[in-house]
Amino acid sequence: MLYVQLFLTFLKIGLFGFGGGYAMISLIQAEVVVRHGWISAAQFADIIAISQVTPGPIAINSATYIGYTATGSVCGAALATFGVCLPSLVLMLLAARVYLRMKENPYVAQVMRALRPVVIGLILAAALLLLTPDNFIDWKSYVIFGGVLVAALRKVNPILLIVLSGVAGWLLYGLG
């Protein structure tokens, strides 16, 4: 039953998670931490961090990790990953066909412009969800966050920021 529930949960997240992986973070957190309790808030924060430094989309990486953590099996990881990917695959195939036929329509162009602020709001909501005491455990975590924020506002390469954040965490906290 857990496998079906896991698949259906990530299918729902994939279906209603407009705006990409970062916009899905708040939906994933609400489902897997709050609603189902498959992982803790601290584990979720770790999953987000790991998902950001591993290659691939954050929603897919998170689904894979959560699926494995919740079930302890590769099958759970695969089902969660497939669940979060399936709606996007089907919708993109259908939307591409329709959009290619209607891309010159002014109403379609207006709808696409109207969706931009919604996506920005979802990404902001995801960022606010991660601003918790679970993530800011001491002054060192605030220093890393502040440094990355300033560098990001100055348009420093995000990959470099991820690597430097990892190095800073390793130097300040050790290997654990």
Side-chain angles (χ1 to χ4, degrees):
M1 186 63 183
L2 176 60
Y3 291 97
V4 172
Q5 203 174 27
L6 188 67
F7 173 77
L8 292 176
T9 296
F10 277 97
L11 182 70
K12 179 171 71 171
I13 290 167
L15 189 60
F16 296 108
F18 294 101
Y22 289 103
M24 289 182 183
I25 291 173
S26 60
L27 294 172
I28 296 170
Q29 191 264 351
E31 287 292 323
V32 303
V33 175
V34 177
R35 184 165 183 238
H36 294 290
W38 290 327
I39 59 172
S40 68
Q43 286 175 307
F44 184 73
D46 291 343
I47 288 169
I48 297 304
I50 291 168
S51 295
Q52 288 180 347
V53 298
T54 53
I58 192 168
I60 295 171
N61 292 345
S62 299
T64 304
Y65 192 93
I66 291 166
Y68 185 83
T69 302
T71 63
S73 73
V74 174
C75 184
L79 281 172
T81 304
F82 183 63
V84 81
C85 292
L86 183 61
S88 298
L89 175 66
V90 171
L91 289 174
M92 287 309 300
L93 289 173
L94 294 173
R97 290 182 64 120
V98 171
Y99 181 72
L100 288 174
R101 290 187 183 146
M102 301 187 69
K103 67 181 176 180
E104 302 300 324
N105 184 310
Y107 296 113
V108 172
Q110 189 173 4
V111 167
M112 297 306 281
R113 279 191 304 274
L115 286 175
R116 288 181 191 149
V118 173
V119 172
I120 292 169
L122 287 171
I123 292 171
L124 181 59
L128 292 174
L129 277 174
L130 294 174
L131 293 174
T132 66
D134 292 326
N135 296 325
F136 293 95
I137 54 176
D138 59 15
W139 66 270
K140 296 180 242 180
S141 57
Y142 285 102
V143 170
I144 294 171
F145 173 77
V148 170
L149 179 62
V150 168
L153 291 173
R154 294 185 180 201
K155 308 285 188 210
V156 174
N157 184 316
I159 296 170
L160 179 61
L161 292 178
I162 291 168
V163 170
L164 291 176
S165 298
V167 170
W170 179 68
L171 290 173
L172 292 173
Y173 294 101
L175 290 173

